[in-house]
Amino acid sequence: MPDWPGQKYSCHGCGTCCRDFTVELRAADMDKLEQQGWRERLGGEFAVEFGGKKWLKQKPDGACVFLGENGLCRVHAEFGLEAKPLACQFFPFMLSPDGRNTVVGLSFACGSVAASKGASLDSHRAEVKRMAELLPASAPIPVLLTGGIIATEAEVGAVQAALDEWLAKKTTTPALRWEGFAWLVTSVMRANLSRMRGEKLRELMHTLVGAAEEELPLLDWPAPQPRAWKLLRQAVFFRVEDPKIGELLKRGRMMTALGQWSRSRAWAGGKGVCPEFASDAPVEFKAFDATHGLFQGSDAAAMDDLLQRWIRASLLGGRAWGSGLYRLPIDQGLGLILVNLLCAMWLARFRAAGRGERTAALADLVFAIGRVDRASGRAPWLATAGERLRASWLAHSDSLRLLSRALASNG
């Protein structure tokens, strides 16, 4: 369980996770819920079947069938925490088994995690250990460095330590911190890691971090290509698109897929009104162009702190590669994490535009990170060959670095 300075968490019963997540049920979960007599008490089914799997049924508004009017889980209230489905017990902790042990991560889709609100993480150690022992037994899942090359514990630690050192720097501005992170990740993605093993990898990471602060001002920073913005908008779409099981059953696979294809094209084109975006009013894509860089407003320091906690928790908590991120190798996993970061920055500014503001506020970034992080590790379409190619093109065209500057500091 990594040490996250400044990160706290306690459940405050907001019920957001019960309204926003689609929960898969294991056979053991189904048995427990049936023994509790919910089918008779609810007067109907508490689960639905889709894709050969069982899922918790949702109300028409998307809320879990067990969410009470008081915003609390009825299963938890009547039978206790351990009577709930395993996925519900774990949240917001994300447990990722690797070749050595089980690494503990955090989901920033939880409002209390994002606000760092509650008790120290160490106070949850016993409960997390209990949950880890409930994980189904499986063969060790090693972390890959690149391709099919298994990373050593020292190599994983070298990448984590170097990137975490950069993110924790006190001498950088918020914009420079994230421009530098994009440059570091891009450099790792473009390096031939198969030839940078052991001490060579540690030296590479040490050199990159040591040079970043002086190197960044010397780099050329042209505007990102239109294709880069198009690919970024598509990446945002695949992270906010979230069809509910009830909708899938009602519309069918074909109509759902056609609707997604149509909305994906609209997001890629970036013209007209954004389809089905979580906003109080329709938002035109062009409104984004009038917004300022993410760190231009009075909430810059608070937003920088939130982003630091999120990305550092992803790196140290096993959610940046391996079993915590679709079993991706380190280089590809870092690319996906960087795309997640840029998507959250774009989404925060776009949400501000939807409120008629030119500068994003902390609440916009909290919303954006919650939307992006809820999909990370849970949406298998984010690890397809197409998504990996998207991140690879953005890295090798240097667009990840240029987009980071445009989103962080440019108007």
Side-chain angles (χ1 to χ4, degrees):
M1 191 167 180
D3 178 26
W4 289 293
Q7 180 63 60
K8 300 182 182 300
Y9 162 73
S10 292
C11 179
H12 290 82
C14 67
T16 301
C17 55
C18 305
R19 296 183 180 89
D20 204 28
F21 282 93
T22 302
V23 178
E24 182 181 346
L25 298 173
R26 304 170 307 137
D29 297 324
M30 286 292 297
D31 290 343
K32 281 196 297 187
L33 294 172
E34 286 176 349
Q35 290 171 15
Q36 293 163 13
W38 286 108
R39 188 175 288 106
E40 294 74 24
R41 299 169 69 182
L42 293 173
E45 295 294 334
F46 57 79
V48 296
E49 186 170 344
F50 183 80
K53 298 178 180 179
K54 297 284 189 178
W55 307 83
L56 271 182
K57 190 175 180 180
Q58 294 170 314
K59 300 176 183 178
D61 63 356
C64 172
V65 69
F66 292 123
L67 185 63
E69 294 182 2
N70 59 357
L72 301 178
C73 172
R74 293 179 61 183
V75 177
H76 192 154
E78 296 191 37
F79 297 96
L81 171 67
E82 296 182 32
K84 294 161 61 172
L86 197 61
C88 301
Q89 294 184 51
F90 281 6
F91 191 82
F93 294 101
M94 313 289 283
L95 307 186
S96 306
D98 62 19
R100 299 166 293 146
N101 48 35
T102 297
V103 185
V104 183
L106 281 172
S107 173
F108 276 67
C110 170
S112 295
V113 170
S116 192
K117 184 179 176 184
S120 69
L121 292 183
D122 197 59
S123 67
H124 299 281
R125 185 175 296 275
E127 180 61 19
V128 172
K129 184 177 180 181
R130 179 192 70 81
M131 291 189 291
E133 292 170 350
L134 296 176
L135 285 172
S138 63
I141 304 172
V143 174
L144 302 178
L145 182 63
T146 184
I149 299 174
I150 297 176
T152 66
E153 184 174 345
E155 288 169 339
V156 174
V159 175
Q160 287 177 321
L163 293 176
D164 194 58
E165 177 187 347
W166 171 258
L167 292 177
K169 270 186 177 288
K170 303 296 183 184
T171 57
T172 61
T173 63
L176 189 67
R177 185 187 322 282
W178 300 107
E179 292 165 15
F181 181 71
W183 179 72
L184 290 168
V185 170
T186 298
S187 299
V188 172
M189 294 179 70
R190 294 165 75 171
N192 185 354
L193 295 186
S194 63
R195 302 181 64 180
M196 306 296 296
R197 303 300 310 275
E199 183 62 17
K200 286 185 179 180
L201 179 62
R202 191 197 67 78
E203 290 177 357
L204 171 67
M205 298 304 303
H206 177 75
T207 301
L208 288 172
V209 171
E213 203 159 356
E214 295 182 1
E215 183 74 14
L216 289 170
L218 304 178
L219 297 175
D220 187 23
W221 294 93
Q225 300 175 31
R227 184 183 180 189
W229 286 113
K230 174 182 177 179
L231 291 176
L232 180 61
R233 286 192 301 270
Q234 284 182 318
V236 174
F237 168 77
F238 286 119
R239 285 156 177 78
V240 300
E241 176 75 356
D242 181 38
K244 301 298 184 183
I245 295 294
E247 297 173 6
L248 290 168
L249 292 170
K250 185 184 301 183
R251 300 186 65 191
R253 286 179 180 267
M254 182 62 71
M255 292 304 296
T256 298
L258 286 173
Q260 289 175 324
W261 176 79
S262 175
R263 290 191 296 277
S264 175
R265 284 178 58 85
W267 278 77
K271 296 179 181 178
V273 176
C274 174
E276 297 188 25
F277 180 70
S279 178
D280 295 332
V283 187
E284 292 195 7
F285 282 106
K286 67 179 181 181
F288 173 87
D289 297 331
T291 61
H292 300 304
L294 192 66
F295 301 110
Q296 300 289 310
S298 58
D299 285 348
M303 290 193 288
D304 182 40
D305 172 73
L306 173 58
L307 285 173
Q308 283 188 66
R309 289 189 286 110
W310 176 38
I311 300 300
R312 293 178 76 186
S314 298
L315 292 170
L316 301 178
R319 299 189 64 210
W321 48 65
S323 63
L325 198 67
Y326 315 113
R327 303 193 181 189
L328 292 176
I330 287 176
D331 55 353
Q332 292 185 7
L334 286 176
L336 193 151
I337 291 298
L338 179 52
V339 173
N340 280 353
L341 170 69
L342 299 181
C343 286
M345 289 180 167
W346 187 94
L347 197 54
R349 284 178 52 172
F350 192 65
R351 188 169 188 263
R355 297 188 297 105
E357 300 289 340
R358 292 194 172 188
T359 304
L362 177 61
D364 296 315
L365 186 60
V366 169
F367 169 85
I369 289 177
R371 294 295 300 179
V372 171
D373 204 41
R374 68 183 300 280
S376 190
R378 298 181 64 252
W381 53 86
L382 296 182
T384 60
E387 281 296 306
R388 296 197 302 272
L389 283 172
R390 185 200 315 280
S392 179
W393 184 89
L394 289 170
H396 288 271
S397 66
D398 218 13
S399 296
L400 290 173
R401 178 177 69 86
L402 301 179
L403 285 167
S404 71
R405 162 68 69 93
L407 291 165
S409 54
N410 288 358

